[in-house]
Amino acid sequence: RVENRMCRGLSIAICEDVPAERELLLSLARDWARGAGARVFLEAFASAEALVFHRAGGKEFDLLLLDIGMRGMSGMELARELRAQGCGAQIVFITGYADCMAEGYDVGALHYLLKPVSREKLFSVLDRARAHLPKPRRAVLLPCGDGAARLFAEEILYAEVFSHSMVFHADGTHFEARMTVAQAQAALGEGFVRCHRSYIVNLCRVRQIRKTDLLLDDGRTVPLARRAWPEVNRAFLALCREEIHEDP
């Protein structure tokens, strides 16, 4: 059985000391969420100090929209303070001046938005921020003995037939489950392919496809049947193209 998890929403903090501009950003972010079919969690702050105080309570965000020219602590100073505290959120600066953009490299800014912020530009930035979110981990539950074992899909290298069971080889461990190859393939789901009558492999862990076997990223090899080679090769190349396309 595969344990499905919904993609989590995008948590956004807006830090802007001008009320009208703060409300505009909130309204546009809500419009984007409705149009994109995304879940979004918004919190707005009237000063950098208010955001620092809020984070001290343990609240983290995926994305920070920071006005640079705020009274008191500026958005740039806020970003440096948060990075020093270990904050890993994506940062987008909002400014009325293009000549301060170079400073953002120090804090790994995702983007700059020039005032007045347009709907199209903000929507594009929010699309990018959502694409940069870590993908949720997919767990696979396997019947083992009198109980069950949970493995994350990315940890599993391959599964092989052993007598009347399947052995699932993962990073640093392995589990035996009494099930057929077909049942194992259904449980493993997307990203796993049958490369041999007795083997199922995780394509994300394949480093190289050869004529008779697959080289995995830990140095082990898995046999590759001749009749399975075309399908496995197509799936491997499709995965590689997808990863290249998603690479920021």
Side-chain angles (χ1 to χ4, degrees), residues 10-224:
L10 182 65
S11 176
I12 304 173
I14 297 171
C15 198
E16 166 63 71
D17 62 350
V18 178
E21 295 183 2
R22 189 167 62 246
E23 288 304 316
L24 173 62
L25 290 170
L26 283 167
S27 177
L28 290 177
R30 294 188 186 106
D31 288 347
W32 169 82
R34 283 191 290 269
R39 292 187 302 152
V40 65
F41 306 97
L42 294 164
E43 295 198 50
F45 302 89
S47 69
E49 291 81 2
L51 177 52
V52 171
F53 179 80
H54 189 77
R55 280 195 73 255
K59 175 66 176 180
E60 292 290 353
F61 296 95
D62 300 311
L63 175 65
L64 307 176
L65 300 177
L66 307 180
D67 177 29
I68 289 183
M70 291 185 290
R71 295 180 295 274
M73 181 186 291
S74 72
M76 192 65 69
E77 291 169 335
L78 171 61
R80 292 195 180 103
E81 172 66 21
L82 295 179
R83 288 292 192 240
Q85 294 176 8
C87 174
Q90 301 176 70
I91 294 176
V92 172
F93 287 116
I94 300 170
T95 178
Y97 306 97
D99 57 0
C100 63
M101 292 185 178
E103 296 182 67
Y105 290 113
D106 295 339
V107 293
L110 174 70
H111 200 73
Y112 278 86
L113 292 172
L114 288 174
K115 296 182 178 182
V117 176
S118 73
R119 171 183 296 263
E120 293 75 17
K121 292 288 181 61
L122 180 60
F123 283 19
S124 176
V125 164
L126 294 177
D127 286 338
R128 287 180 59 193
R130 183 170 65 160
H132 279 70
L133 286 178
K135 293 182 180 178
R137 304 179 80 190
R138 182 168 63 88
V140 179
L141 300 181
L142 304 172
C144 292
D146 295 329
R150 183 183 73 164
L151 296 175
F152 288 111
E154 68 267 24
E155 298 172 341
I156 301 172
L157 290 103
Y158 66 96
E160 64 174 322
V161 173
F162 179 75
S163 186
H164 299 291
S165 302
M166 294 293 299
V167 177
F168 295 80
H169 298 270
D171 292 323
T173 188
H174 65 273
F175 290 92
E176 183 177 344
R178 195 164 184 83
M179 58 200 312
T180 66
V181 179
Q183 290 169 334
Q185 191 161 13
L188 290 170
E190 185 179 0
F192 290 81
V193 296
R194 183 104 171 249
C195 59
H196 184 276
R197 67 180 182 180
S198 301
Y199 288 83
I200 302 168
V201 70
N202 184 352
L203 280 176
C204 291
R205 303 301 298 269
V206 175
R207 179 177 297 168
Q208 182 182 1
I209 291 185
R210 301 185 290 211
K211 287 297 181 182
T212 59
D213 64 13
L214 303 170
L215 176 64
L216 305 184
D217 57 18
D218 71 340
R220 280 185 276 186
T221 59
V222 173
L224 175 59

